[in-house]
Structure formats: C-alpha cells, structure tokens
Amino acid sequence: MSSEPEQGNGAGDDEDSGGLPEDQMFEMLTRVSLDDLSACRQVSAQWRRLTYEPAFSPLHCRRRADAVVSGYFVQGMARNRYSATFVSMHPSQADADPSVSLDFLPSAHVRVEAVSAHRGLACCVDADADAAARMGGKASSARCYYACKPATRQWRALPNPRLRFPTAVTAMVARPAGAGAAADFKILRLSVPTLRDHLRCEIFDSRRRAWRRSADVMVWPESLVAAGPAVRAHGAMHWLRWPDRVSAAEDIFAFDMKSEAWRLIVLPPEVEDRTDRWAGKKKLVTVEGKLCLVVIVDEEAEVWVITDYGRQQERWEKKMAVNLKNLGMQEGRALILRDLCSSEVAFFNSVYRVIWYDFWRGKIAEVPVHHKCIQEVFKYESDLVLWDIDENKI
C-alpha cells in the first residue's frame, strides 16, 4: 500500500504558487475534493499553510457540503454499553445529515476502535461478541470486527484476530483516493499476551484478506493499555505512553505502518516534571501535519512541535503558549482538551457538550451530546463516494 508522501520534502518546501495571488490560490484550494486536498498539501509549503488556516476548513466544508463530511466521533460508555455520536462544527452536516452514525452496523452494541485519515473508513467491534470471545463463549467463532464507511453507511465483516488476548491499541490506515482506485486499508492491533511482558502485533491487510502476525513489540504492555486513539503524523501512528514501570518515564510510542518498525520518542525535558498525563494535562495532536504535544499548566496551554522528525537531530520546539483563563471562567473548569483543529482552534468536551474554541476570538461552536463522560474522540473526515471494495474479497 502506498503511503502519503512525507511533508517537507522536495517541492514541499517550495513557496512558488505559479504566479497566482495568494487569495486566488486560497479560493481554488477550497474547491478541491477531500483526498485531492491531501495531495495539494504536498505541492508547496505555501499550499500546505493555506489549507491549515483556521478559515479554510469551514469554507471548504460549505463549498463541498454535498461531498465532504468533517467532524468527530465522540465515544462514551453508560450502563456497560458503548455509544458513539458524530458531531461537527458545521451544523448542516450534523443536523441535516443524521445518517452519519453507526446504527447501520449489524450489531446494536459496537465500539469504535480506529478511524483512517483517508477514505472515511473506520474499524469497529461488536463489543458483546468481543467480550464473549475473550471468555471462550459461544460467540468466539462469530465475526465481530467490521470495516465500515459511516458517511455512506457501508460495512464489511472482517476475520477475527486472536481475540483471547485483550486489545491494547488499534490503528487504521487507508490508501488515499489519488493513489489508486481500490480502497485498500490496513489495521494494526497490539494486544496483551498471557505473559504480559510484551505486546503481540497483528496486522490486517485488505489485499490479503487476512490477519498476519508481525514482530512482537518489546514494551511494557500496560503502558499502552487505554492509551486512546492513535495520532497519525509523518507516516506513523503515535500514542502517549503511561509511565513505564522500569524507567517511570513518559514517552511516545511510534509505529510506522509501512516498515512495521517501532520506536520511542522522548518528551521535551522542559515538560517532563511539570505535570502528568493522569490528570489529562498532556495530549498528542497534529498541527499542520506535524506531531505536537499540548501541555496544560496553570491555565496555560503550551504547544510543542517536533522538528526534523525521524532524523538524528530530532528535537522539540515550543510553537506557542495560550492563556486559557478566560475559557475556564466562561465555560467552567471541567473542559478537557481533545484535539487541535488548527494552530488557533481547539476541540474541547465537557459534561453533555463539546466546544470548538478559537484561542484569539473565543467560542466558535457548541454542540450538545448525550454522553456525560466522553472516553475517546476520533477525528472523522470523509467524502460521500460509495466504498468500492468488493464484498467477496473479505
């Protein structure tokens, strides 16, 4: 499967826009398709910067309202049952198109495991069958993994991985539309084996229609359990690890979906002793396609970006610092930072609501949800093109 080109290589650093004024270039980019937008970001640094401006995404969604869905799946649990709700800062998408949901899946109780950055695909699990399989129950032979496209309400049942080992983390990657006609995808599943001294790695490849065993990951399993959705940047999936029982240090686990190699990335030394992830004060995000760490200390949010990713001189730089005191005074202190939509707009959740907040202009949008406690948030962007995968292939 071909992967998305790395940012900042070749033409990605060329500021030449072909002689067009920047406002005309901005106007043109707001009219391209969702997957073509991914390719446009590789043309030049200028194009990439324009497509990450705060005003770009709302305008792009309005002009492509018949072809683009953009928002988040927020997932919570109540009375031992999972539920996921799609929310968007663009009211026309969430209200006029309530079909963006998971109610079309054959199971009434599903859990979102992962969402791909391209094609609008998601990996979901029948939560009841999954639990029964781990206990060796009657459902152990039934298929409980699904690949689906919520925007077009299509799904396919997948073969099961080794369900008797509990899942630590899951990630999904799909081929961009411009890379070929087939909606090829891969699913990474890291699980906790009986010995609990490493992570068991399995990968599902839609082209081979099967799970296969990959090399074990030699990290303490509990450091990734409940680590949350993967953060995709630079062609790899990233999770913030809990403190390791050996070193007692936090770091970032990175897994390259193409080479299937993994590594640990140290956090900025300036933030290691200032706060902890147990209080929800650290969060991995992507900003303009780059891996970033958000650290909240004393009502201030610091955004650190990793520069020269993957190179020998890889280092962290503080990108910005934002005072959140006004936000706390207006909205209460129960807000939890979930994502950065851009360098200026953040996505928060509180009790029974989610908020999009511009650091400089204030609240942009607020949407009520039926979740009192949101456990996971998955960024979801999709076109409305029917999924072209052959049902007989899986």
Side-chain angles (χ1 to χ4, degrees):
M1 182 187 307
S2 61
S3 60
E4 183 179 342
E6 296 297 330
Q7 296 199 9
N9 295 332
D13 294 324
D14 184 6
E15 288 287 343
D16 184 16
S17 62
L20 287 176
E22 190 167 277
D23 57 344
Q24 293 184 20
M25 187 61 60
F26 182 90
E27 185 78 11
M28 180 193 74
L29 290 169
T30 61
R31 301 179 186 277
V32 303
S33 69
L34 190 61
D35 275 321
D36 285 342
L37 183 61
S38 177
C40 287
R41 285 172 172 157
Q42 313 306 320
V43 172
S44 71
Q46 181 193 30
W47 285 26
R48 185 165 63 247
R49 174 178 55 79
L50 290 174
T51 60
Y52 282 115
E53 287 188 0
F56 181 86
S57 180
L59 186 57
H60 181 251
C61 286
R62 286 199 300 270
R63 289 179 170 172
R64 303 283 305 182
D66 60 337
V68 173
V69 170
S70 179
Y72 295 90
F73 272 106
V74 295
Q75 181 164 263
M77 174 184 277
R79 298 178 181 178
N80 293 321
R81 294 189 69 83
Y82 291 94
S83 64
T85 305
F86 176 74
V87 295
S88 175
M89 67 183 293
H90 316 294
S92 61
Q93 295 190 359
D95 298 336
D97 189 12
S99 62
V100 183
S101 69
L102 301 176
D103 61 2
F104 61 92
L105 292 173
S107 170
H109 183 202
V110 297
R111 180 179 69 246
V112 179
E113 292 285 287
V115 172
S116 69
H118 300 290
R119 296 293 182 107
L121 301 184
C123 173
C124 299
V125 173
D126 182 325
D128 294 331
D130 180 41
R134 290 203 307 272
M135 299 177 64
K138 295 181 180 179
S140 60
S141 61
R143 290 193 175 190
C144 65
Y145 267 66
Y146 306 109
C148 65
K149 185 168 184 176
T152 56
R153 303 178 67 81
Q154 296 172 277
W155 64 275
R156 298 290 183 266
L158 305 179
N160 291 337
R162 293 295 295 273
L163 294 178
R164 70 186 182 94
F165 301 124
T167 301
V169 292
T170 306
M172 186 178 195
V173 61
R175 182 198 297 265
D184 298 331
F185 62 90
K186 287 183 179 180
I187 300 172
L188 165 70
R189 179 177 183 261
L190 299 179
S191 58
V192 183
T194 305
L195 294 178
R196 306 181 75 85
D197 61 350
H198 64 275
L199 286 166
R200 192 176 190 273
C201 181
E202 295 171 279
I203 295 177
F204 180 85
D205 190 328
S206 65
R207 294 176 299 180
R208 296 181 173 87
R209 306 183 294 277
W211 292 89
R212 61 177 174 81
R213 182 82 178 271
S214 188
D216 291 339
V217 175
M218 306 308 295
V219 301
W220 181 47
E222 277 71 17
S223 67
L224 280 176
V225 171
V231 175
R232 185 178 186 273
H234 311 284
M237 299 297 181
H238 304 84
W239 292 269
L240 188 63
R241 291 206 309 154
W242 299 100
D244 192 290
R245 66 178 179 181
V246 177
S247 64
E250 285 183 288
D251 52 34
I252 297 168
F253 175 80
F255 189 95
D256 190 293
M257 294 293 287
K258 186 175 182 180
S259 66
E260 299 180 14
W262 63 273
R263 67 189 182 104
L264 300 178
I265 303 173
V266 298
L267 299 185
E270 295 89 343
V271 307
E272 285 185 348
D273 299 326
R274 296 174 61 188
T275 183
D276 61 86
R277 205 190 74 172
W278 296 90
K281 300 296 186 179
K282 293 177 184 173
K283 181 70 178 176
L284 280 185
V285 298
T286 57
V287 177
E288 299 181 3
K290 297 180 179 180
L291 183 66
C292 294
L293 176 71
V294 181
V295 183
I296 299 179
V297 181
D298 298 330
E299 297 183 322
E300 183 177 80
E302 298 177 355
V303 181
W304 294 77
V305 61
I306 194 166
T307 62
D308 299 321
Y309 182 96
R311 299 180 184 177
Q312 188 174 5
Q313 299 300 320
E314 190 175 72
R315 67 185 188 279
W316 290 92
E317 292 181 356
K318 185 189 290 189
K319 180 180 178 69
M320 59 186 291
V322 180
N323 193 312
L324 301 178
K325 185 176 182 179
N326 290 338
L327 174 63
M329 293 175 60
Q330 296 169 8
E331 306 295 338
R333 298 180 181 274
L335 292 176
I336 299 175
L337 176 68
R338 292 294 186 172
D339 190 29
L340 289 185
C341 310
S342 69
S343 60
E344 299 180 8
V345 179
F347 180 66
F348 292 87
N349 81 264
S350 185
V351 179
Y352 297 119
R353 60 181 176 143
V354 295
I355 293 172
W356 286 262
Y357 186 82
D358 188 302
F359 292 134
W360 316 117
R361 294 180 296 172
K363 184 165 62 177
I364 299 175
E366 177 177 334
V367 176
V369 294
H370 68 270
H371 309 279
K372 181 178 181 180
C373 178
I374 293 175
Q375 295 180 331
E376 295 173 308
V377 172
F378 300 87
K379 186 173 180 61
Y380 184 73
E381 293 183 328
S382 177
D383 56 35
L384 299 180
V385 178
L386 289 177
W387 192 11
D388 59 0
I389 192 166
D390 185 349
E391 184 174 5
N392 297 322
K393 288 184 178 181
I394 298 178

